[in-house]
Amino acid sequence: MVVKLADNIYSPLGVTTRANYDAVMEGRCALRQYALPDGSLYTASLFPDAERRDDDHYTFFEQLCIASASDALTRADVDPRSPDVRFFLSTTKGNVHLLRAQGEVDERVLLGASARVICRFFGNPNPPVVVSNACISGLSAQIVAVRSLEAGYCTTAVVIGCDVQSDFIISGFQSLHALSPDECRPFDRDRCGLNLGEAAATIVYSGQCPVGSGQWVVRGGAMCNDANHISGPSRTGEGSYRCLQALNLRTDELAFVSVHGTSTLYNDEMESIALERAGLSSVPVFSLKGVYGHTMGAAGVLETILSMKAVEHGVVFGTRGFENKGVTGDVLVSAEPRKTDKQNFVKLLSGFGGCNAAMLFEKFRECKGVQESAGKSRECSEWPVVSLQLEMRTEELVEMYRSHIGDYPKFFKMDPLSRLGFVASELLLKKVASEADGQLNTEHLTLNTEFGVLLFNRSGSLADDRAYVATTEGEDRFPSPSLFVYTLPNIVTGEIAIRNHFLTETNFIVLEKLDEEVMAEQIALAAERGPQIAGWCEVDATGQCSAMLLAVPQHISKERILRELRN
Amino acid sequence: MEELILQLKKEIIEVLNLEDIKPEDIDENASLFGEGLGLDSIDALELIVLMEKNYGIRLKDPNEGKAIFKSIAVMADYISKNRTK
C-alpha cells in the first residue's frame, strides 16, 4: 500500500501546509487584479514581484520546487540522495518565460533539463520523470508515482507540482477569452472565466512503510480521455464520469469530492454532469480555485494536500466565490464550510487535450482484509508487439500525410508535435491491422480496440511554443489562440484519442533524454490497465522529427518492451 | 463588397489552415460553423484576432462573434460598417 509520509504547500498564502490550511479557513486569498498590456484586467494569485527572480543557479520556478520539496523531505525524514528515491515533477510550462521566438533555445526551457537541476540540488541520482499532462498533471504524476512504488521501481516517491505565471501563459489564456477580470466564481451562475495562480506543492509517498492508523493511503487513481475536442470538454462529462466509475466509490464513505471547478462555463457544467451521472449528488463538493486560482501543474498536488488537511480537521471547505448554482448537474456545492466525520475523499481534475483524472484517498483506520496483490504481469503472447519508426523533417510530415492518410483535414491545424504523433499513430495502426492475425482489419481495430496513449519526449511542445511566442512579441502583438492551445505537449495524445474515439488513459511524460529503461517501466505500468500506443515522439528545436511508437497488448512485461525499444 | 468577400475568404483560409480549400469553394452565404466549413470554437477565437489585426475591430465579448461569424457575407458586411483600418 502506498502511504503519504509528508507534504508541503508553498504558495502566496504561506510556505507550509499548515499556514495554507489556516489561511483557507480564515477566508484569506491572494487573488489580486492586474492589467494586461492592452489595458484589459485579469485577476491572479501571484507571488510578489520582489520574490520573482531567477538567480545565477536556479530559476524562480526551480527555487519554488526546491523550497517546497526541501520542507516535505525534512518532514518525511527521507534522504533524497538514496537511489531508492525518485522524483516526479508535475508541470505544464516550467521555465517557459525564458523562451524567445528566435535564436538559441535556453536549455532550461526544456522540462527535463530543469527537473534535472532540481534533482541535482537534492543529490538524487535517478532520472526525473516530468509529467506534463495539462491541468491534470498533478494527479497524473501522483498516479505514475504510486504505480512506480507499487511495482517496486522505487521505495520513496517525491511528487512536486509547480507552475509559475508569465506573459506566455497569461496572454494565452487571455487569447482564449478564458480569464475572469474579477475573482472567479466556481459553479456560480455568474461565473465568467478562471483566475491563474502560482504555487509549488510536494507530497512524499512511501511504498514500503508499514501503514499506521491515521496515515493517508492512496486507494486508487484513474485517467480517462473524453475524445471530444482538444480544448472543449465533453458535454456529457464522459471522461470525468468514467474516472469516477473506475474508483468503485462508496458514497457513504466519502467526505467530499474536491473538484476542478475552474469557474469556466464549460468545465464546471461538465463536472456537475459527471458527478450526477456517477451518483455523487449527495456528496459535498468544493473548488479551491476561488482561493488559489488555477495553479496548473501544482493544482492536483496542492488541492490533494489541502483536502487531506480538511478531512483531518473534519471539515468540508466552502467554495469561495460561489453564491447561486449555475450548473445543470445535481451537485451539493456550498459557499460555507461544513463538518464531516468521513475519512475518504476524491480529487477530480480535467484538462485540455480531453484528459480527466480522479484519485481516491483514505485516512487509514483498519486493515480491510487481504490487500489485492497487483500480481506479476500475465504476459500476453497472442498479440505481436508492433513498432514503427519515423525520422524526418516537419515539412515532410505533410507529404507523409497526403500519401498515406489524407482523410483528416484537421491535420493541417495541428502543431508539428501533434502532426508527428498523428502520422506515426496512423501508420502504426495500419501496421497493427496488417500484421495482426488476419481477423483484424483497420476498421475493426479503430472501432473496437481502445488503446491508451502514453508518449514521451525531450522538447515538449517547443516548436509550437516558439511559434506562439512570436505572436506575443513586438508592438503589433496578437497572441494566437490556436497556437496557444498546442503549447501543451499532451495535446497530441488528445488528437490521437479524438481521431480514434479512444476513451482511454492518455498521458505525456517529458524526459531529459531518450531513456528506454524509464519508458519501458512506465509503458508496462500503463499497459496493466489496457493496450497502449506508446513511445517516443519528439520534434526538436531544428524541426527534426523522431518517433518510435509501439502498439502493445495489456499485461506486457517491462523486459519485453525494453527489448522492442532497443531493437 | 465583392472584393472584401474575396479578401476575407483568402485570409480565413490562411489563418485557419484550411488546406485544400480555395476561395471559390466557399459559399459566402453558407454557415461557417457546424454544417458549412465545420469550424470550431478555437477557429472562432482566431477569427476574433483576425478582425482586430486586419480591420481594427475589437470584440469585447466573444459571444458577439456568434452573430457576426454567421457567414462570410455577414462578416464582410459587419467589417465594412465597423472597420477602423
Side-chain angles (χ1 to χ4, degrees):
Chain A
M1 205 181 307
V2 170
V3 183
K4 188 196 77 169
L5 295 181
D7 56 47
N8 167 273
I9 297 173
Y10 197 107
S11 83
L13 284 179
V15 299
T16 61
T17 298
R18 180 60 199 263
N20 276 276
Y21 176 77
D22 289 347
V24 176
M25 290 310 289
E26 287 160 17
R28 287 190 278 133
C29 83
L31 293 170
R32 305 281 179 272
Q33 200 169 50
Y34 302 87
L36 282 160
D38 68 359
S40 55
L41 300 170
Y42 69 99
T43 293
S45 170
L46 307 176
F47 287 97
D49 279 345
E51 289 180 32
R52 185 191 307 282
R53 291 242 167 81
D54 295 349
D55 67 25
D56 291 344
H57 300 286
Y58 303 103
T59 63
F60 180 57
F61 166 77
E62 290 153 9
Q63 291 166 34
L64 288 183
C65 291
I66 289 170
S68 175
S70 293
D71 180 58
L73 282 162
T74 305
R75 288 169 196 274
D77 196 20
V78 163
D79 182 356
R81 293 170 298 183
S82 163
D84 296 328
V85 176
R86 289 241 187 134
F87 279 72
F88 298 85
L89 178 61
S90 156
T91 185
T92 60
K93 294 313 303 172
N95 289 318
V96 76
H97 67 286
L98 298 174
L99 188 67
R100 300 290 170 268
Q102 301 294 326
E104 283 283 299
V105 174
D106 188 323
E107 178 84 0
R108 296 278 263 286
V109 167
L110 305 185
L111 300 180
S114 181
R116 168 55 77 191
V117 167
I118 294 163
C119 277
R120 200 175 288 138
F121 173 87
F122 290 106
N124 187 263
N126 293 313
V129 172
V130 184
V131 177
S132 194
N133 207 18
C135 299
I136 74 163
S137 298
L139 288 185
S140 300
Q142 289 187 68
I143 290 170
V144 164
V146 166
R147 288 176 185 171
S148 302
L149 288 165
E150 285 171 345
Y153 293 142
C154 53
T155 59
T156 307
V158 183
V159 184
I160 309 170
C162 184
D163 264 305
V164 294
Q165 297 301 332
S166 60
D167 181 60
F168 185 103
I169 297 167
I170 296 166
S171 64
F173 275 98
Q174 178 68 10
S175 78
L176 296 176
H177 295 261
L179 296 181
S180 168
D182 305 306
E183 291 187 16
C184 70
R185 315 197 60 174
F187 287 86
D188 193 88
R189 68 178 181 210
D190 296 326
R191 69 186 182 279
C192 63
L194 58 81
N195 299 150
L196 290 169
E198 53 191 10
T202 305
I203 301 182
V204 182
Y205 282 119
S206 168
Q208 288 199 332
C209 184
V211 189
S213 187
Q215 280 192 294
W216 281 100
V217 295
V218 178
R219 282 291 180 196
M223 293 183 264
C224 186
N225 203 290
D226 64 20
N228 180 65
H229 183 268
I230 55 169
S231 67
S234 150
R235 298 293 170 102
T236 58
E238 198 60 38
S240 286
Y241 164 72
R242 288 184 182 220
C243 287
L244 293 167
Q245 285 290 93
L247 295 177
N248 295 316
L249 300 171
R250 286 192 49 178
T251 52
D252 57 333
E253 292 182 347
L254 282 180
F256 51 74
V257 180
S258 167
V259 296
H260 197 26
T262 58
S263 181
T264 63
L265 223 46
Y266 292 115
N267 174 81
D268 295 3
E269 173 66 10
M270 179 282 284
E271 277 191 300
S272 78
I273 291 166
L275 288 160
E276 181 179 339
R277 284 183 68 195
L280 297 173
S281 295
S282 63
V283 178
V285 304
F286 62 79
S287 159
L288 286 162
K289 300 298 190 291
V291 178
Y292 288 93
H294 190 344
T295 54
M296 302 169 43
V301 185
L302 181 151
E303 291 168 12
T304 295
I305 297 169
L306 278 174
S307 297
M308 288 172 170
K309 278 287 152 210
V311 168
E312 287 168 14
H313 287 84
V315 168
V316 180
F317 290 129
T319 297
R320 191 187 159 96
F322 173 82
E323 208 170 316
N324 301 297
K325 186 167 164 278
V327 290
T328 62
D330 185 11
V331 284
L332 198 54
V333 56
S334 151
E336 299 304 320
R338 312 159 189 231
K339 289 187 173 161
T340 183
D341 56 6
K342 312 265 172 75
Q343 306 291 307
N344 294 11
F345 75 90
V346 170
K347 175 74 212 118
L348 183 66
L349 289 178
S350 51
F352 280 0
C355 53
N356 299 263
M359 287 183 81
L360 174 62
F361 299 89
E362 180 192 334
K363 192 161 152 256
F364 192 75
R365 272 192 297 196
E366 82 243 37
C367 206
K368 289 179 181 168
V370 185
Q371 271 296 298
E372 71 287 14
S373 66
K376 263 338 264 175
S377 306
R378 301 179 300 281
E379 178 131 4
C380 169
S381 54
E382 292 153 33
W383 277 36
V385 170
V386 181
S387 66
L388 181 113
Q389 212 155 354
L390 279 184
E391 292 284 341
M392 58 180 57
R393 305 283 312 160
T394 47
E395 310 82 74
E396 294 171 290
L397 285 169
V398 173
E399 216 24 67
M400 204 73 179
Y401 164 81
R402 286 195 197 282
S403 55
H404 292 90
I405 305 157
D407 64 345
Y408 201 66
K410 264 207 278 180
F411 170 83
F412 294 104
K413 292 179 181 285
M414 296 179 193
D415 76 315
L417 180 64
S418 294
R419 287 183 180 193
L420 173 64
F422 178 81
V423 167
S425 62
E426 288 288 304
L427 298 181
L428 180 72
L429 286 169
K430 281 179 197 285
K431 214 170 158 190
V432 169
S434 65
E435 285 189 18
D437 62 9
Q439 295 167 2
L440 303 170
N441 57 43
T442 311
E443 188 189 7
H444 180 81
L445 262 177
T446 306
L447 291 174
N448 297 321
T449 306
E450 285 208 286
F451 286 97
V453 185
L454 173 58
L455 299 181
F456 302 79
N457 80 3
R458 175 173 179 272
S459 300
S461 50
L462 182 63
D464 185 69
D465 291 0
R466 295 188 100 184
Y468 173 72
V469 167
T471 71
T472 69
E473 290 181 342
E475 280 180 29
D476 202 22
R477 92 184 211 142
F478 294 96
S480 160
S482 57
L483 289 173
F484 181 68
V485 168
Y486 285 97
T487 63
L488 291 162
N490 69 302
I491 298 294
V492 56
T493 65
E495 291 285 14
I496 295 169
I498 293 166
R499 161 70 160 179
N500 298 289
H501 314 292
F502 290 159
L503 292 158
T504 51
E505 180 171 309
T506 55
N507 196 5
F508 200 100
I509 292 177
V510 178
L511 301 173
E512 197 184 4
K513 59 182 189 336
L514 199 154
D515 184 330
E516 291 97 346
E517 186 80 23
V518 173
M519 287 167 63
E521 282 174 9
Q522 294 304 328
I523 294 171
L525 292 174
E528 281 301 296
R529 278 78 197 167
Q532 299 287 317
I533 290 176
W536 191 252
C537 186
E538 161 80 354
V539 180
D540 73 12
T542 68
Q544 184 61 31
C545 302
S546 157
M548 165 69 209
L549 293 194
L550 302 178
V552 300
Q554 192 169 12
H555 305 308
I556 184 167
S557 70
K558 174 193 151 190
E559 290 71 27
R560 173 84 188 279
I561 295 169
L562 197 54
R563 275 205 308 279
E564 294 291 336
L565 289 173
R566 286 185 172 153
N567 248 339
Chain B
M1 187 60 87
E2 283 300 305
E3 205 176 305
L4 179 58
I5 284 175
L6 180 63
Q7 187 186 338
L8 254 184
K9 286 179 178 178
K10 286 180 182 163
E11 287 170 353
I12 288 174
I13 287 169
E14 194 203 332
V15 75
L16 302 185
N17 294 305
L18 302 175
E19 201 81 10
D20 302 334
I21 292 180
K22 295 186 199 71
E24 54 269 32
D25 298 336
I26 304 176
D27 173 358
E28 58 261 35
N29 295 308
S31 165
L32 281 171
F33 294 85
E35 300 284 297
L37 281 177
L39 305 186
D40 69 7
S41 54
I42 302 175
D43 294 322
L45 295 171
E46 206 61 62
L47 290 182
I48 291 178
V49 175
L50 182 150
M51 297 263 285
E52 186 175 357
K53 194 173 174 179
N54 298 0
Y55 302 100
I57 300 172
R58 191 162 178 201
L59 301 184
K60 285 215 175 68
D61 179 2
N63 283 328
E64 289 176 58
K66 278 182 189 156
I68 300 162
F69 304 146
K70 205 164 172 287
S71 67
I72 300 250
V74 174
M75 215 175 144
D77 182 55
Y78 184 87
I79 288 171
S80 64
K81 287 175 183 150
N82 294 281
R83 64 190 299 172
T84 61
K85 67 178 181 188

